């Protein structure tokens, strides 16, 4: 018999059943085979191995030392095959631990509202969600997906775009009533301009300069904060000016808690939002693909 015609795992399964059930007839019933077919298969297995596996008598089968050693190995191999098949089958169904990292405003405004529906659709997924404006290393933090705003700089990551949102300078009506209006970007020097306390790609706020170019104005004020949600709340409380993506302050603008300023000088720059993941050169786990597809279908930025 050619090597390519040997079903080793099948032979091991039959052999293990014979040992388990203590005879050819009982193993044959469990395997839905005839006793003669089981006997012939064991004989072929012994011939291929060049070793007797059983000492046969009219009353019982007894394993030889070679049979005992082969049985121990066969049981381990069959268990490994079963585990491999179970894991592969599980990969086809979204399940398991999903680690997601997102900025505070995106997480608060867009992820938290849709997560109940996601978990209802995929009840076998367990979600580990971290909201932070600190840009994390997905590999170091073992995160499956990060939702990030702004330009992408990590070439190791793959991205799916969720949308983009225009940036606005905003203030509360109470703040403007106390500190006066802003007619041009030059008026910023007389106002409290809040900033972030972490590194950003572009320092300062961009404005049209009236000559077809863009000028960046530094953020000078008495407050620096760690994330956009804190800055939004402080702006609503009238502590100063903030610059936010439309999606982050849309409800505040609609409710009149904030208003946009210097719109005539707004350069119209857009902040993209991406779901990023480590996926180059390999297949995505079902839980990650399900989450990415769900975000694309359900996250809509204004």
């Amino acid at each position: 018999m050619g090597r390519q015609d040997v079903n080793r795992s099948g032979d091991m399964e039959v052999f293990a059943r014979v040992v388990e059930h203590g005879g050819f007839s009982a193993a044959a019933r469990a395997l839905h085979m005839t006793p003669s077919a089981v006997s012939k298969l064991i004989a072929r297995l012994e011939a291929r191995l060049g070793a007797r596996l059983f000492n046969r008598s009219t009353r019982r089968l007894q394993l030889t030392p070679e049979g005992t050693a082969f049985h121990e190995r066969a049981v381990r191999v069959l268990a490994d095959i079963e585990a491999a098949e179970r894991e592969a089958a599980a990969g086809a169904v979204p399940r398991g631990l999903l680690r997601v990292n997102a900025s505070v405003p995106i997480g608060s405004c867009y992820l938290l509202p849709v997560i109940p529906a996601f978990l209802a659709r995929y009840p076998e997924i367990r979600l580990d969600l971290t909201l932070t404006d600190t840009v994390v290393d997905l590999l170091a933090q073992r995160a499956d997906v990060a939702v990030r705003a702004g330009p992408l700089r990590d070439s190791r990551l793959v991205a799916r775009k969720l949308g983009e949102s225009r940036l606005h300078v905003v203030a509360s009506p109470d703040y403007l009533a106390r500190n006066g209006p802003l007619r041009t970007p030059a008026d910023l020097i007389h106002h409290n301009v809040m900033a972030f306390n972490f590194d950003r790609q572009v320092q300062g706020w961009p404005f049209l300069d009236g000559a077809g170019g863009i000028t960046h104005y530094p953020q000078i004020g008495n407050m620096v904060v760690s994330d956009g949600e804190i800055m939004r709340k402080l702006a609503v409380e009238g502590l100063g000016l903030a610059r936010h993506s439309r999606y982050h302050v849309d409800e505040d603008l609609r409710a009149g808690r904030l208003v946009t300023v210097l719109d005539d000088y707004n350069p119209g720059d857009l902040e993209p939002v991406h779901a990023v993941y480590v996926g180059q050169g390999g297949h995505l786990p079902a839980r990650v693909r399900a989450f990415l597809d769900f975000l694309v279908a359900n996250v809509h930025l204004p």
Side-chain angles (χ1 to χ4, degrees):
M1 182 180 292
R3 192 177 186 89
Q4 67 271 21
D5 298 323
V6 175
N7 180 0
R8 282 183 236 165
S9 63
D11 291 351
M12 284 182 178
E13 175 71 20
V14 173
F15 169 72
R17 290 298 185 95
V18 171
V19 176
E20 177 185 348
H21 292 281
F24 292 167
S25 295
R29 287 192 295 271
L31 294 166
H32 304 289
M33 298 171 65
T34 64
S36 62
V38 171
S39 179
K40 289 178 182 178
L41 188 148
I42 294 299
R44 290 197 302 268
L45 176 61
E46 289 178 323
R48 188 173 78 247
L49 297 176
R52 181 177 291 276
L53 301 176
F54 294 103
N55 287 320
R56 296 166 176 82
S57 69
T58 56
R59 294 185 178 179
R60 57 178 296 195
L61 292 176
Q62 185 177 26
L63 284 170
T64 65
E66 293 80 9
T68 299
F70 185 72
H71 179 253
E72 291 176 355
R73 291 290 187 92
V75 169
R76 289 199 294 269
V77 169
L78 292 170
D80 288 342
I81 292 174
E82 182 180 358
E85 291 178 344
R86 185 168 57 249
E87 291 176 6
V93 177
R95 59 162 59 98
L97 180 63
L98 177 68
R99 294 184 175 90
V100 177
N101 184 284
S103 70
V104 175
I106 293 175
S108 300
C109 297
Y110 290 96
L111 292 191
L112 295 183
V114 303
I115 280 175
F118 174 75
L119 293 178
R121 181 179 299 181
Y122 302 106
E124 295 188 61
I125 289 179
R126 294 182 295 114
L127 185 63
D128 182 341
L129 176 64
T130 299
L131 300 186
T132 174
D133 277 353
T134 301
V135 177
V136 302
D137 185 325
L138 266 68
L139 292 174
Q141 298 296 322
R142 296 189 303 160
D144 295 301
V145 180
V147 183
R148 294 179 176 171
L152 299 176
R153 289 175 285 180
D154 194 334
S155 60
R156 299 173 300 171
L157 303 179
V158 184
R160 291 185 67 173
K161 192 173 184 178
L162 302 180
E164 54 190 11
S165 187
R166 187 172 179 177
L167 290 150
H168 297 274
V169 178
V170 297
S172 71
D174 177 66
Y175 172 86
L176 295 175
R178 288 185 286 106
N179 294 276
L182 288 90
R183 295 181 175 84
T184 72
D187 293 332
L188 289 170
I189 195 173
H190 304 297
H191 286 264
N192 197 38
V193 180
M194 293 186 289
F196 293 108
N197 59 13
F198 54 85
D199 292 337
R200 295 180 65 81
Q201 190 172 23
V202 177
Q203 298 298 323
W205 289 350
F207 292 98
L208 298 175
D209 61 10
I214 293 177
T215 300
H216 287 82
Y217 286 78
Q219 295 165 262
I220 301 174
N222 64 1
M223 179 73 67
V224 293
V225 299
S226 62
D227 64 67
E229 181 62 10
I230 293 176
M231 184 177 288
R232 182 195 68 81
K233 290 180 178 179
L234 293 176
V236 169
E237 293 299 321
L239 270 71
L241 301 172
R243 188 169 186 261
H244 282 299
S245 295
R246 178 80 188 200
Y247 70 80
H248 194 184
V249 294
D250 191 54
E251 289 189 9
D252 294 316
L253 294 174
R254 293 175 184 274
R257 294 185 291 267
L258 293 173
V259 296
T260 60
V261 298
L262 299 174
D263 287 340
D264 291 341
Y265 297 90
N266 191 324
D269 50 333
L270 300 173
E271 183 173 65
V273 176
H274 294 89
V276 297
Y277 55 97
V278 180
Q280 293 177 339
H283 296 288
L284 285 177
R287 67 187 186 280
V288 175
R289 186 173 299 280
F291 186 67
L292 293 171
D293 291 343
F294 188 86
L295 291 183
V296 170
N298 292 277
V299 172
H300 307 289
L301 305 181

